[in-house]
Amino acid sequence: MANKLIKEMGLPKSIANIFTARNINTAKDALSLTEFELMELLDVGFAEAYSAIARISEITCPQFQTAQSLLEERVRYEHMAGHLPTGLKGLDEALSGGIPFGVLTELVGPAGIGKTQFCLKLSLLASLPATYGGLDGSVIYIDMECKFSSRRMIEIGAKSFPDIFLMKEMAQKMAGRIHVLQPASLSEFTESLQQIKVSLLQNQVKLLVIDSMAALVSGETEQGAQRQNSLGWHISFIKSLAEFSRIPVIVTNQVRSQSHDESCQYSFQAHSKNERAGGLIGFDSQLVAALGLNWAHAVTIRLILESKAGKRILKVAKSPISPPLAFPFHITSAGISLLSDSGSELAGSEINKIHFQGHLLHLKLCRSTSI
């Protein structure tokens, strides 16, 4: 509201014209000045300056609402709420139906754990006909790391929904609903956001996937506060897209080390004599989600994919409607599949820790990923 134009606020035309002539065009411009500064700048009396400020403040500032009015508003818009079922029974039950509309859902985990494969499956589910449990719409898939595979997506679809994919030209029809965007940089992605907002309405888009948000940010040269400021703007815009379009928005995130040795930021790198010599070893280490606290607070649902003691685990680490739960899973030709629909409850530090075990890595993979 701070950027709302003064000429649209119903001020007397004589005063509105003076604001325009003095290059005071938005509510932010006007409210940054005192009444006395406006009197001098606009060459008007105190009563006129005070009246203009009062009118601008009334329109710009949000009104108080009672808890009762908020509840009534939620009931009125309840029909617009919804979920995208994941096809994973235990997870869907935990999330009261699947990935919720209108908020950000984050998939976080180390490389190769299955985040992109989960995104491919969700994209198919969003494009499925409603009669088969899908959303019968289009998907915008922002593929920052060039990991999108049409062949793998079709394989997942054929194995998961053989009856549909055996129908003539159905595979091509569903694949044609998934629009892939591969921006080369954060600035290019930023320029595309307004176009994406228009596409959400024009193309009946039912799912937005960003794979991965961390890759978009880490490719830039900005550091520290500059990077966080840039990320903050994108967080706000992506959240507004989710709320504006009332669709599920999936974002993937990478991991960073919690190690005391900051020379190698990936914590799945052990610091052993063998590794320093350039050897290959296996290990189990802990990581945390990248992008920091501001990003963590912005997402409504956080799903962690990890590997611990030789098993892949999907954790509901953050949700307003579910306790922290862990589900063992594996990846098949049909995509991600839970080994058990009964999740085990988590407590304490295990909720947000991310394990990555059993991979053989070489010292040369050591790179800094601090964001």
Side-chain angles (χ1 to χ4, degrees), residues 8-271:
E8 299 175 355
M9 294 188 178
L11 294 176
K13 191 172 182 180
S14 58
I15 292 293
N17 289 339
I18 297 174
F19 272 104
T20 301
R22 300 297 188 273
N23 201 32
I24 303 175
N25 298 311
T26 67
K28 182 178 180 180
D29 296 336
L31 296 177
S32 299
L33 303 169
T34 67
E35 288 89 343
F36 296 103
E37 288 172 329
L38 278 177
M39 287 172 58
E40 181 178 354
L41 191 60
L42 303 180
D43 193 22
V44 297
F46 178 80
E48 292 172 291
Y50 181 83
S51 176
I53 288 292
R55 175 62 177 169
I56 294 170
S57 298
E58 180 184 359
I59 294 175
T60 304
C61 297
Q63 300 297 311
F64 288 108
Q65 289 182 281
T66 66
Q68 178 65 24
S69 65
L70 287 172
L71 177 61
E72 291 171 354
E73 182 180 355
R74 179 173 180 177
V75 171
R76 284 198 304 272
Y77 290 101
E78 193 68 34
H79 70 281
M80 296 179 67
H83 296 81
L84 169 61
T86 67
L88 306 176
K89 182 180 178 182
L91 180 61
D92 287 341
E93 290 177 353
L95 299 180
S96 298
I99 307 298
F101 292 2
V103 299
L104 303 188
T105 297
E106 176 194 39
L107 306 179
V108 58
I113 197 67
K115 302 186 298 295
T116 296
Q117 301 216 40
F118 200 175
C119 290
L120 293 176
K121 182 70 170 283
L122 292 172
S123 298
L124 283 169
L125 289 165
S127 64
L128 272 179
T131 52
Y132 290 91
L135 300 182
D136 199 19
S138 298
V139 176
I140 294 180
Y141 195 114
I142 302 173
D143 176 29
M144 191 60 199
E145 299 181 284
C146 297
K147 291 183 177 179
F148 183 90
S149 170
S150 299
R151 179 175 296 180
R152 176 60 177 142
M153 185 188 69
I154 296 300
E155 180 186 23
I156 291 173
K159 295 292 184 180
S160 302
F161 318 106
D163 293 343
I164 302 174
F165 273 71
L166 287 176
M167 295 171 61
K168 186 178 181 181
E169 298 182 353
M170 180 57 74
Q172 291 86 340
K173 180 179 179 181
M174 290 178 62
R177 290 179 169 182
I178 300 172
H179 309 278
V180 182
L181 178 67
Q182 295 180 321
S185 65
L186 180 61
S187 57
E188 188 174 310
F189 171 62
T190 304
E191 293 172 1
S192 304
L193 284 177
Q194 291 294 347
Q195 182 70 31
I196 290 172
K197 189 171 184 178
V198 173
S199 295
L200 291 178
L201 293 178
Q202 292 182 342
N203 298 322
Q204 290 295 303
V205 174
K206 297 299 178 69
L207 174 66
L208 172 62
V209 177
I210 304 175
D211 185 16
S212 79
M213 193 64 203
L216 281 167
V217 178
S218 62
E220 298 299 297
T221 57
E222 294 176 344
Q223 298 293 329
Q226 274 188 313
R227 178 175 290 181
Q228 286 301 315
N229 289 338
S230 176
L231 180 61
W233 184 90
H234 286 84
I235 291 172
S236 297
F237 195 95
I238 295 167
K239 284 192 70 174
S240 73
L241 285 180
E243 295 165 0
F244 161 78
S245 58
R246 303 301 303 172
I247 64 170
V249 175
I250 306 292
V251 290
T252 68
N253 190 6
Q254 299 170 355
V255 293
R256 64 174 179 83
S257 173
Q258 210 175 14
S259 170
H260 293 295
D261 185 351
E262 294 299 326
S263 63
C264 291
Q265 295 292 333
Y266 280 133
S267 70
F268 50 72
Q269 295 152 347
H271 302 284

Side-chain angles (χ1 to χ4, degrees), residues 106 108 214 253-256 288-292 295-296 302 354 369 371:
E106 176 194 39
V108 58
N253 190 6
Q254 299 170 355
V255 293
R256 64 174 179 83
V288 293
L291 298 179
W295 173 258
R302 168 171 279 181
I354 304 173
T369 61
I371 294 176

Side-chain angles (χ1 to χ4, degrees), residues 261 264 266-276 281-285 361 363:
D261 185 351
C264 291
Y266 280 133
S267 70
F268 50 72
Q269 295 152 347
H271 302 284
S272 70
K273 187 179 295 183
N274 286 343
E275 190 182 66
R276 286 191 294 270
I281 61 171
F283 41 84
D284 189 350
S285 57
L361 299 171
L363 182 59

